[in-house]
Amino acid sequence: MKILHLSDTHIGSEKYFDRDPLIHVLNKLNEGGYDLLIHSGDITQEGKEEHFIEAQKLLSKVETPCVTIPGNHDKRSGGIALYKKYIGPPNGTMEQDEAIVIFVDSCVQDSNDGRVGMTKFNMISRALREYSDKTIKILVIHHHILPIPMAGRERNVLSNAGDLLDLFLRFEVDLVLSGHRHYPNVYNINNTVFVNAGTVSGKKTRYGDVNSYNEIDIDEDKLRVQTNRFINKKSVDVKEYPREGRRIFYDFGEKRFRIIHISNTFISPSTKFRQLHFLNALKNINSLEGNVLVHCGGIVEEGIPRDYDLAKNYMDRFDLPVVYTPAGRDMNYLGYDLYQEHFGDIDQSFTGKNFYLQGIASSQYDSPIGIIGETQRERVFQKLREKQNQFKCIFLHHNVLPIPHAREKGLLEDSGDFLREAVDEKVDLILTGTSSHPFAASVEKTVIVNANSLSSVYQRSLFGNSFNVIDVYDEAIVVSEINCLWKTRRLLGIWERNNKK
Ligand SMILES: [Fe+2]
Ligand SMILES: [Fe+2]
C-alpha cells in the first residue's frame, strides 16, 4: 500500500497560501502508483466558502481515493458547515482491501485547541474493535498526539491525548497521521508509527524549513516513511520500521540493576497524605534491593517548613540512595530554599555501576508550567555524551508523553525539542512524575515511564497508589508497577534495550 500524506494546505489568500507546491504534488499523485491520498487537515486558511470551493475543485481532479479531515483553521467562522458541504464527512472510516482508515475531527470551533469528545472516542474504539482483523490500521487526526520538535512552545495539544495514545497502542494501530504543527516528524512507539506532516503549501513554516509532504509504503515486512522537502531545499528523509510482529522476549540476559521510581508523595500532616500507604511502600521498597530510588517531585504538599521537616523525617527512612527533582509545589512559598536545605541540589545526578542518572529541574515558582530551556538542555546532553557506553537515564517532574486519565495540558513547554533530542541521542530511559497516573511506552528505543502518586489521596489509577520498579537486564528493560498498600504487581511493559551489552 502506498499513501501520499499531505497536510495544512491553508488554501486562502496569497499571504498564506502558495499554489505551486500543491499543484506539483497533486500532479505527481495523478501520475499514478498511489493507493490513497490522506489530507490531515487545515485545508483552508480561514474556513471561507470561496476557499472551500477552490479546495473542492483541486481535490476533484484527484483520481486516487482520498481521505480528508478538518483542521482548526477549517472550523473558524462556522467553517465546519462548509466543510461538510464541499469536502465531506469530518469523521468516519474507509475500508481498502487489507486496510482500515479511521478519520476523526479533533478540532474545537473557533479555537486552536484539540479535543476528541467521548462520543468520538468511543467511535474510534468501536471501529478498532470491529476492524481488528485488518492487517493495516490507520488513524488520521489533525492535532499531534506527541510533542513535535522545532515547533516552538508546546500548545494546542489534544486534551485527551493520553487516552488516545493508550488506545492506539493497545489496539496496535500501525500508523497515526497528523498535521497542525507545520513541521514533519516521525516516531515509532511500541510499533505504532506516528507521522506528522509539515505544511505542503502554507507559507507559515518554522525554523527556516520549507514545504513538505510524506510518502508512506506499507508492505508485509516494513513500514517506510519518506518526507520530501521539494521546493528550494530538495531533501528526502527516510525512516523504515520492520513490521514482523511483536517480539516476545525469553532471554533477558543477566540483571544489571534496579531503579525504584516514585512521585507525588505530598507529605504533610493533613489527611490527604496517606501515611499507611507511604509506610507500607517504604517497607516494601527497603526489601526490594534497588540500587537507587528516584523521586520525580511533589515531595511535600506545600513548600512550608512544617511539610519539609516531616518529609525529611519520612524520606530518611529509605535504606537505598535517593535522588530528587522538584515539582512546582515543592518550590512554593519557602520551598526553593527548604528543598535545598533538606534534600540537596536542584539538579541532582547519580552514578551507578554502568549507569548514570541525570535530573533536570523543569519546575518554577508558583507555576504548574515546566520548562527545560535551551541552556540546560545543551548542558544535560553534553554531560550525557561524556558517559559513553553507559546506560543513560534522565529524570524530571513534567511528563514528556501524554498521560492517560489526565487532561493533557502540554505543561512542559519545550517537550517537542527535548523528546526529539533524547531519542536521537539514544537516552535509554526517561522518568517523569506528573498527573498521578502510571504509564510507560518506548519512543524508538527510549523507554519513558511516568509514576503514579505514592501516597496522596489525589491519584487517578484504579490500581491505587503505586510506585514503579525498573529492572535493567543485558537485553531488556522490564517496567512494573507495585501497589503501595497490597504489594500487588502489574507489568507496564518489556522493551528491548537500546545499547545491548
Ligand atoms: Fe495548519
Ligand atoms: Fe492546525
Side-chain angles (χ1 to χ4, degrees), residues 267 273 275 278-279 282 310-317:
I267 297 169
F273 167 57
Q275 193 199 32
F278 185 96
L279 292 174
L282 171 86
L310 196 63
K312 178 77 179 149
N313 181 301
Y314 276 107
M315 291 305 301
D316 276 350
R317 301 185 208 175

Side-chain angles (χ1 to χ4, degrees), residues 8 10 41-42 71-73 107 112 142-143 156 179-182:
D8 297 81
H10 287 271
D42 279 354
N72 49 314
H73 282 259
C107 304
N112 294 331
H142 182 61
H143 289 83
N156 322 136
H180 187 57
R181 296 316 306 268
H182 295 203

Side-chain angles (χ1 to χ4, degrees), residues 440-456:
S442 173
V443 181
E444 306 287 338
K445 288 286 179 71
T446 300
V447 175
I448 303 180
V449 186
N450 191 67
N452 188 5
S453 161
L454 186 86
S455 50
S456 168

